[in-house]
Amino acid sequence: MANAFVAVLVLAICHSTAQGVASATSHGITAPAVMPGTAAREFLDAHNQARAEVRVGTLKWSEQLANATSRLARYQRNKMGCQIANLTGDKYGANQFWGGAARTPRMVVASWVKEKSYYDYASNSCAPNYKCGLYTQVVWKNSSELGCAQATCKDRMTFTICFYNPPGNYEGERPY
């Protein structure tokens, strides 16, 4: 991506066909181009790798969820200065990331999965002073669909959001 403009990656895959990454500028969004091996595939593969490690079924890409995350990422970038979104009460499970420039989808998911080292399955709890909710959402057994989007902010920081359907992370329930 060029440093001269802000771009949002709109990710969409339908019926196992990768549809490319559409970039959005302040002038609008371009139509997606069909490109196998897109960022959408990278999000999906990274999630499914973490899920396979705990023997949880794979996620499928959802164009509906990808479109919803894309709208939210654009809103957060354009109206909220790429601040972390308030997702309380949303109908989907969600993870978000805000961090250094040029974070690939695989890098973002890996940052969520790092929380696994603090999660204790036997007690279904997280180590004191740590959080595990990002990890447990990635591997939530009942989630079957995934959609993600990224926005690059003016300061070249990356804002990423993923939605999961059905949602997970219910207090007292085990993720797998």
Side-chain angles (χ1 to χ4, degrees), residues 39-147:
R41 177 57 51 196
E42 198 174 323
F43 274 120
L44 195 58
D45 289 348
H47 275 83
N48 284 333
Q49 180 180 350
R51 294 171 68 85
E53 290 175 10
V54 294
R55 295 182 173 89
V56 176
T58 59
L59 295 171
K60 290 182 173 44
W61 192 259
S62 165
E63 185 174 348
Q64 178 182 347
L65 296 179
N67 288 336
T69 58
S70 176
R71 285 189 301 275
L72 181 56
R74 284 194 310 261
Y75 174 80
Q76 289 302 119
R77 180 200 66 195
N78 296 339
K79 304 289 186 192
M80 304 301 291
C82 279
Q83 295 177 28
I84 296 296
N86 179 359
L87 301 172
T88 305
D90 201 3
K91 64 181 179 178
Y92 304 118
N95 277 347
Q96 55 187 321
F97 173 88
W98 187 85
R103 297 288 180 159
T104 67
R106 190 169 298 283
M107 292 166 71
V108 171
V109 176
S111 74
W112 297 335
V113 172
K114 279 184 185 179
E115 290 182 353
K116 179 180 182 179
S117 63
Y118 307 114
Y119 177 69
D120 177 51
Y121 183 82
S123 66
N124 191 30
S125 63
C126 200
N129 302 315
Y130 290 95
K131 295 185 180 189
C132 300
L134 298 168
Y135 167 69
T136 55
Q137 181 61 75
V138 168
V139 297
W140 195 262
K141 65 184 172 247
N142 294 331
S143 293
S144 59
E145 297 179 307
L146 173 70

Side-chain angles (χ1 to χ4, degrees), residues 1-52:
M1 281 184 241
N3 293 335
F5 67 90
V6 177
V8 173
L9 301 179
V10 180
L11 310 173
I13 292 184
C14 183
H15 307 294
S16 299
T17 301
Q19 292 185 356
V21 177
S23 61
T25 67
S26 59
H27 299 87
I29 299 176
T30 60
V34 176
M35 295 187 302
T38 64
R41 177 57 51 196
E42 198 174 323
F43 274 120
L44 195 58
D45 289 348
H47 275 83
N48 284 333
Q49 180 180 350
R51 294 171 68 85

